[in-house]
Amino acid sequence: MSRGPAGAWVALGPLLWTCGLALEGGMLYPRESPSRERKDLDGLWSFRADFSDGRRQGFEQQWYRAPLRESGPTLDMPVPSSFNDVGQDRQLRSFVGWVWYEREATLPRRWSQDPGTRVVLRIGSAHYYAIVWVNGVHVAEHEGGHLPFEADISKLVQSGPLSSCRITLAINNTLTPHTLPPGTIVYKTDASKYPKGYFVQNTYFDFFNYAGLHRPVLLYTTPTTYIDDITVTTGVDQDTGLVDYQIFVQGSEHFQLEVYLLDEEGKVVAQGTGSQGRLQVPNVHLWWPYLMHEHPAYLYSLEVRLTAQMAAGPVSDFYTLPVGIRTVAVTERQFLINGKPFYFHGVNKHEDADIRGKGFDWPLLVKDFNLLRWLGANAFRTSHYPYAEEVMQLCDRYGIVVIDESPGVGIMQRALTCCSSSLCCSQSYSNVSLQHHLEVMGELVRRDKNHPSVVMWSVANEPTSFLKPAAYYFKTLIAHTKALDPSRPVTFVTNSNYEADLGAPYVDVICVNSYYSWYHDYGHMEVIQLQLATEFENWYRTYQKPIIQSEYGAETIAGFHQDPPLMFKYVVGELIWNFADFMTDQSPQRAVGNRKGIFTRQRQPKAAAFLLRERYWKLANETGHHRSAAKSQCLENSPFAL
C-alpha cells in the first residue's frame, strides 16, 4: 500500500511528530540460539493485594526493598493467570488498585559472572500499569495491559556474589478516561448507603476487567553486542519471492551481518550480507491462508548471524525469525492475498477461560485452534486487545488470518454517558488520550509486524466516530499506523451510521458491527436480508471500499438466505460474535457472563456451532482455492465429525 501524499502529514500537526514514528529499541520474541538462553519464571509467585484505603501502603512501607513476606502475609499466585478467580476471597475478585507480585530467581553462574553476557527481564503482559524492581532497585515502568516490555538488568545481577535475584512487580488495574481501554472511578458519598471511601470502577466494554500477570515472565540473555530488531516485508515477482530485511544492532557500530533464508527442509534458498537488503527466492512457496491452498502456511526461516570484534575478543549473536512470503492488497471491491480474492469467514474471540481468566494457557490455545479448523474458520479479530505472542505464532503456523486490534474499546460509552458534555468529549478525544493511543499502536506494530498471519491493523472498536473530534483523532491515528507499517491496510470497527461516521474516510476497509433481529426487531429473521442489503449498499455507495461484517449474532445465520459474497461483490468477510462464552461484569443482563458464544466457556459446541460450521465449509468451497484433501483431513481428525 502506498504511503500517501507527503503533504498530508503537514495537516496532522505536531502531536504525531512528538510521539515519533517508531519506538526506540526492538521487541524480538525471546528465542534460544547458540548465543542466547532463556529462563522461564512461570509458576507460583508470592502475591499480596494492597487493601489499604488509599491503596498506597505498599509504597509508603516500600514493600519492594525486602522480601514481600517480611511486610505481611502473602498468597501463592500462579503466573500466568488473572488473580481474580484463583482464590475464594470475594474482595480480591473485584479488587481495584495495586497488587504486588514477587519471585526469587536463581541464575546460572555464567549469567552473573560473565560481563560479556546481557541479562534481560521480559514481562509478556501486566494489566494495567506496572512498576518493576530487581533486588529493590527500580528498573522499569509500563502502561498498558496487553503488550510486552523489558528491562536490561545485567548490572544488577552482575554486581556482586549473588547467584539469584528478587523480582518485584506492583500492578494497578485502575482504568481512567485516558487509558486503553478507558474507564472511570466513581466515589459513592452517600453515607447512608456506602461506607467511607467507597468507590466503583466503571468500564465501558462488555468483558470482565481481569488483571494480573497474564502472560509469561522470563529472563533471557544476549551478548553485549546483539541483534536488537529485525523488520521483514515480502513481495512476489512472478514465481520469485522477495524478502526485504532491515536489521538493527546494539552495542557496537563495527560488526558484520550474514543473512540466510532456509526452507522447511533446512535448505538455504537465498542469502545476503549487511544490515539491509533483498533476498530473492526462486520457485517460492507462498504463505497461504487455511483452506485457500493445498499447502497453507508455508514458513521459511531467516537466520541472522552477527559477528563483532570487541576489546575482550570476538562476539557472535544468532537469531532465527520465521518468515511467510505473501502479499496483501485492497481494491474497491476486494481484499487480496497473493493477488487472489480472500473472504474472511471467521470469529471474534476473547482471551478468557474458567479460573485462569485471561491467563495464557497452552492446552486451551491448542484446543481453540483445533475448534477453529473444525469450524472451517480462516480468520479472527483480536477483539478487543492484542493477544499473546504465542497466539500469533500459531496463526502463522496454521494459516489463520488475523485482524490485529488495539485495546481501543469503550471510547464510545465515555462520550455517550455525558451526552452533550464537551468536557467528556474532550477527555475521549483529548491529546492525552491520542498520545497514548499512538504509543500503543507503535508497540503493537513493533511486536507483530513480522507475522504473515496479520493482514490488517484495527485501531479501535465501536468508538463514537460520529462526534466532531473523532475526525482529527482517527485521521491522525490511522496515518500514524500507516507510517509505521505501509505494507498493511488499517481499519477500525464501527457501529455508527454511514452518514455520520467521521473516521470512515480514513480506513482502507469498512468493518461494521450489526445485530439484526437481536437488539431490535427481536426474533424477526424475515427482515434480516432487507436490513443487511440496505446497510451494505449505503456504506459501499458512500465510500467505495470493501466491507467486512465484523460482528453479528449467531441467530442471524438462519436469516442469511443468500451468502454475502454472492449478493454483494464488495463484501469481503464476516466474523461472528462470539467464538466462546466469556465473563463480564455482573448485571441484570449479564448474570454469569456473555452467552453469545457458539461454544460454551468450556469449549463445548452449541447448536449454532454446527450451523456455522456448515455455512463456513460452504463458503470455503465457494470462495476458496483449497483442495478437498484439506477438508477431509480436518473432518477425519475432528472429535465432532458428523
Side-chain angles (χ1 to χ4, degrees):
M1 299 184 61
S2 62
R3 189 184 293 267
W9 293 100
V10 178
L12 297 183
L15 179 63
L16 188 59
W17 299 107
T18 59
C19 178
L21 291 181
L23 299 171
E24 292 186 7
M27 196 58 64
L28 292 174
Y29 186 78
R31 301 179 187 276
E32 291 191 315
S33 76
S35 60
R36 295 175 176 230
E37 299 174 281
R38 58 178 279 171
K39 180 182 177 65
D40 291 291
L41 300 180
D42 296 350
L44 293 181
W45 288 53
S46 296
F47 174 89
R48 182 186 307 142
D50 186 345
F51 285 105
S52 63
D53 289 342
R55 306 291 198 256
R56 302 288 302 174
Q57 187 177 51
F59 294 99
E60 293 165 356
Q61 298 181 359
Q62 300 181 332
W63 289 353
Y64 53 86
R65 295 185 65 87
L68 199 56
R69 64 180 180 275
E70 294 184 8
S71 55
T74 61
L75 302 174
D76 286 335
M77 185 60 63
V79 172
S81 77
S82 303
F83 63 73
N84 308 79
D85 291 346
V86 172
Q88 294 300 107
D89 188 340
R90 184 178 178 183
Q91 276 187 294
L92 192 58
R93 186 177 194 277
S94 57
F95 181 81
V96 178
W98 290 99
V99 298
W100 293 72
Y101 286 80
E102 182 186 86
R103 169 75 185 263
E104 196 85 18
T106 302
L107 305 180
R109 182 173 297 177
R110 60 188 173 279
W111 289 23
S112 59
Q113 295 185 0
D114 180 7
T117 296
R118 175 174 167 265
V119 182
V120 181
L121 171 65
R122 182 185 181 98
I123 292 95
S125 168
H127 189 70
Y128 174 80
Y129 192 95
I131 306 174
V132 188
W133 297 265
V134 173
N135 295 334
V137 178
H138 176 275
V139 297
E141 294 189 26
H142 183 258
E143 180 178 0
H146 308 282
L147 292 163
F149 60 101
E150 297 181 344
D152 185 335
I153 63 171
S154 308
K155 292 181 179 179
L156 291 173
V157 300
Q158 294 169 356
S159 59
L162 295 176
S163 61
S164 64
C165 64
R166 179 171 45 84
I167 300 166
T168 309
L169 285 93
I171 303 174
N172 194 324
N173 63 342
T174 304
L175 301 178
T176 75
H178 302 304
T179 59
L180 283 179
T184 54
I185 295 293
V186 178
Y187 283 88
K188 304 290 188 177
T189 57
D190 186 341
S192 66
K193 296 181 179 179
Y194 306 101
K196 183 179 179 181
Y198 187 85
F199 67 89
V200 294
Q201 168 81 79
N202 284 343
T203 57
Y204 308 111
F205 46 83
D206 191 25
F207 54 91
F208 192 79
N209 188 35
Y210 281 113
L213 287 171
H214 286 156
R215 296 175 190 160
V217 179
L218 57 91
L219 296 167
Y220 73 92
T221 65
T222 72
T224 51
T225 297
Y226 61 96
I227 301 160
D228 180 56
D229 198 15
I230 304 170
T231 300
V232 167
T233 55
T234 63
V236 181
D237 183 5
Q238 296 181 351
D239 291 333
T240 300
L242 307 175
V243 179
D244 294 316
Y245 64 86
Q246 189 171 13
I247 302 166
F248 297 89
V249 172
Q250 294 283 0
S252 175
E253 296 181 358
H254 307 288
F255 55 84
Q256 294 80 43
L257 285 167
E258 297 175 89
V259 180
Y260 301 89
L261 191 70
L262 285 66
D263 63 17
E264 288 188 345
E265 286 70 48
K267 177 185 175 182
V268 175
V269 296
Q271 61 187 72
T273 59
S275 59
Q276 59 184 4
R278 167 172 286 185
L279 304 179
Q280 298 191 28
V281 186
N283 301 313
V284 65
H285 297 282
L286 296 180
W287 187 95
W288 288 99
Y290 175 53
L291 299 179
M292 200 173 176
H293 192 268
E294 189 174 5
H295 302 292
Y298 192 96
L299 292 174
Y300 292 88
S301 296
L302 187 76
E303 290 190 358
V304 180
R305 304 175 186 179
L306 164 72
T307 56
Q309 191 64 42
M310 308 298 288
V315 172
S316 299
D317 190 22
F318 305 86
Y319 190 87
T320 300
L321 178 74
V323 172
I325 300 176
R326 59 102 180 98
T327 62
V328 172
V330 174
T331 70
E332 284 187 4
R333 289 174 172 263
Q334 294 178 315
F335 195 102
L336 303 175
I337 295 181
N338 299 329
K340 295 187 180 296
F342 176 74
Y343 188 83
F344 296 77
H345 44 90
V347 300
N348 295 275
K349 289 183 90 278
H350 267 300
E351 290 186 317
D352 175 277
D354 289 333
I355 302 173
R356 60 188 65 77
K358 290 193 181 301
F360 177 77
D361 181 72
W362 271 115
L364 179 70
L365 179 59
V366 173
K367 177 66 173 179
D368 281 0
F369 272 81
N370 286 333
L371 290 174
L372 286 170
R373 299 203 294 175
W374 170 82
L375 193 65
N378 63 5
F380 66 78
R381 174 169 62 121
T382 66
S383 48
H384 298 297
Y385 40 81
Y387 292 178
E389 294 164 278
E390 293 80 1
V391 177
M392 301 295 111
Q393 292 164 12
L394 279 194
C395 289
D396 293 342
R397 290 179 59 179
Y398 292 153
I400 303 298
V401 168
V402 177
I403 300 173
D404 207 350
E405 188 161 273
S406 85
V409 57
I411 296 173
M412 173 187 70
Q413 293 291 352
R414 281 185 290 156
L416 289 184
T417 19
C418 337
C419 296
S420 60
S421 168
S422 60
L423 173 61
C424 185
C425 292
S426 67
Q427 286 185 326
S428 296
Y429 294 108
S430 69
N431 280 353
V432 175
S433 295
L434 178 55
Q435 176 78 25
H436 179 53
H437 209 150
L438 293 170
E439 291 167 353
V440 168
M441 290 311 302
E443 290 187 27
L444 178 57
V445 172
R446 177 177 64 176
R447 192 196 73 168
D448 290 347
K449 61 188 175 183
N450 293 321
H451 289 288
S453 58
V454 175
V455 300
M456 184 158 59
W457 307 109
S458 171
V459 299
N461 177 74
E462 296 185 351
T464 47
S465 47
F466 56 84
L467 293 177
K468 186 176 180 180
Y472 173 81
Y473 188 97
F474 286 104
K475 181 179 181 180
T476 305
L477 184 61
I478 291 169
H480 174 66
T481 306
K482 289 186 176 184
L484 292 168
D485 178 17
S487 71
R488 290 178 175 89
V490 181
T491 189
F492 69 85
V493 176
T494 184
N495 64 349
S496 295
N497 181 274
Y498 74 98
E499 292 181 300
D501 198 308
L502 301 178
Y506 308 108
V507 304
D508 298 299
V509 177
I510 302 291
C511 291
V512 183
N513 289 352
S514 310
Y515 286 89
Y516 309 107
S517 301
W518 195 313
Y519 294 125
H520 54 82
D521 299 314
Y522 310 112
H524 290 284
M525 290 185 292
E526 68 274 9
V527 304
I528 290 175
Q529 191 172 6
L530 174 61
Q531 294 177 2
L532 177 77
T534 301
E535 180 171 44
F536 284 165
E537 288 167 0
N538 286 337
W539 278 105
Y540 187 73
R541 185 179 64 252
T542 304
Y543 292 106
Q544 300 290 299
K545 297 175 181 180
I547 298 171
I548 295 175
Q549 184 70 62
S550 43
E551 287 185 25
Y552 68 96
E555 281 86 345
T556 302
I557 302 170
F560 284 165
H561 302 301
Q562 287 182 272
D563 292 327
L566 301 179
M567 296 166 60
F568 311 98
K569 298 300 184 182
Y570 48 80
V571 173
V572 298
E574 57 188 78
L575 305 173
I576 199 167
W577 186 268
N578 190 281
F579 174 74
D581 296 344
F582 56 91
M583 189 52 62
T584 66
D585 284 333
Q586 188 171 335
S587 71
Q589 295 78 29
R590 297 281 187 263
V592 191
N594 188 310
R595 300 300 184 90
K596 292 178 184 172
I598 59 172
F599 298 100
T600 68
R601 203 181 189 207
Q602 295 74 34
R603 276 41 180 187
Q604 296 301 307
K606 303 179 186 178
F610 293 93
L611 189 60
L612 189 67
R613 179 175 185 261
E614 180 181 354
R615 172 176 176 76
Y616 277 0
W617 280 106
K618 181 173 180 286
L619 284 170
N621 285 320
E622 292 171 351
T623 63
H625 307 270
H626 71 290
R627 303 293 187 266
S628 59
K631 180 177 179 181
S632 299
Q633 182 180 6
C634 179
L635 296 180
E636 287 169 6
N637 295 336
S638 168
F640 305 122
L642 299 176

